[in-house]
Amino acid sequence: MQLTQVDSAFRRDVIRGLSASPKFLLSKYFYDSRGDALFQQIMRCPEYYLTRAEEEILRDKSRDILRACTTPHPTFDIVELGAGDASKTTHLLRAAIDLTFSNRYVPIDISASMVEQLTQTLPVQLPGLEVDGLAGEYFPMLAQLQHNGPTPKLVLFLGGTIGNLLPTEAIAFCKELNNYLKPGDYVLMGFDLRKDPQTILNAYNDKAGLTRAFNLNLLNRINDELGGTFDPANFVHFPVYDPVTGACKSYLVSTCQHDILLDDGTLFRFGKDEPIYMEISQKYTHTQIAKLGNEAGFEPIQTYMDSQQQFTDVLWRKP
Ligand code: AVJ
């Protein structure tokens, strides 16, 4: 039942994207089991500075972050959107247990296998913490949490995942997030900051070819799940960064004219040098972040950065 729904949403979005001009695919579909594994390798590769920078913030500043969240209630629930393997989050969760800040962690992720894994491993790693994982899209899962009683929430949206939205979409997303929260709830959101353009481009064009494989894997996923006929060898991975807008975008470019079929008979024609737009990873300025929080109706509480000021986690409160 659930699987059919996921399959048909995936099919609908693939058909919509590959029928559009210019063609696009949605980066949220990168994360099947092979995509999860590739992303974990990306996070460890030398060029991908984001994870190390945010890990430094959470390792060094978790206590400060939690102490900045105040409430008359005895504890918070910590809810994480896009938890992934939660490896950085464990720093914050450990501090939360030490400070008796929280006894309940709710990781939400589109990847059911990641959520399953967290539900198994975290309670062993972090005794005293109840882990109630939810697999699915963020807002339907947040809607489910609304009937959860008076415990205030700290919602984590880490890693710079907000960067996968265009700046205008990010405003709509933060407004909607705000709507699901109660006054006195907090949000900790991670943003990748603008920096030397070559450093940014290299993070999406690693020498080992992991990011390339991560993008091409979505074509493999279409073959596996929708009976597609993609040959990844007919595409080159082409990331670009625009230092004016802060948009880092990835494309897969067809090297020849060819047709692709799905198992339901849908046909897509590719021209030589025709791109598929795969992903945006938007880079932010502090001014842009402040404007985003303000327009979404949040009160800015504090900004945390790594020692090289590559990345920032900002703490917002719903007034
Ligand atoms: C998980 C969305 C933060 O955009 O940097 C990594 C995903 N894509 N390499 C990012 C990604 C290519 C990543 N986020």
Side-chain angles (χ1 to χ4, degrees), residues 30-31 39 42 48 50 159-161 164 203-204 211 214-215 279-281 283:
F30 283 169
Y31 304 90
F39 184 58
I42 289 172
Y48 197 75
L50 290 81
T161 305
N164 278 172
Y204 295 87
T211 312
F214 185 56
N215 279 264
E279 183 181 40
I280 180 169
S281 299
K283 307 308 169 193

Side-chain angles (χ1 to χ4, degrees), residues 253-273:
V253 183
S254 172
T255 55
C256 58
Q257 188 187 319
H258 69 297
D259 293 345
I260 296 298
L261 275 168
L262 302 184
D263 60 11
D264 62 3
T266 313
L267 174 88
F268 309 112
R269 316 209 92 120
F270 284 82
K272 178 170 153 48
D273 303 319

Side-chain angles (χ1 to χ4, degrees), residues 88-162:
K88 290 167 290 179
T89 316
T90 50
H91 296 292
L92 190 97
L93 295 176
R94 231 174 248 124
I97 297 167
D98 284 356
L99 298 173
T100 62
F101 176 91
S102 175
N103 42 39
R104 183 162 179 254
Y105 173 54
V106 182
I108 298 177
D109 204 280
I110 189 149
S111 168
S113 62
M114 295 307 271
V115 171
E116 174 62 20
Q117 208 177 303
L118 288 180
T119 314
Q120 301 288 329
T121 59
L122 277 186
V124 182
Q125 221 182 316
L126 302 163
L129 196 70
E130 178 188 325
V131 178
D132 296 317
L134 293 171
E137 301 268 344
Y138 302 148
F139 291 127
M141 296 305 121
L142 276 175
Q144 233 169 280
L145 287 177
Q146 282 194 310
H147 325 284
N148 240 281
T151 310
K153 292 186 193 63
L154 166 60
V155 177
L156 311 176
F157 192 43
L158 304 177
T161 305
I162 187 78

Side-chain angles (χ1 to χ4, degrees), residues 18 51 58 85 98 103 120 134 154 158 187 195 197 201 204 206 260 268 282 314:
L18 296 184
T51 307
L58 295 176
D85 70 1
D98 284 356
N103 42 39
Q120 301 288 329
L134 293 171
L154 166 60
L158 304 177
V187 174
K195 59 184 62 65
L201 191 58
Y204 295 87
D206 62 283
I260 296 298
F268 309 112
Q282 176 69 34
V314 298

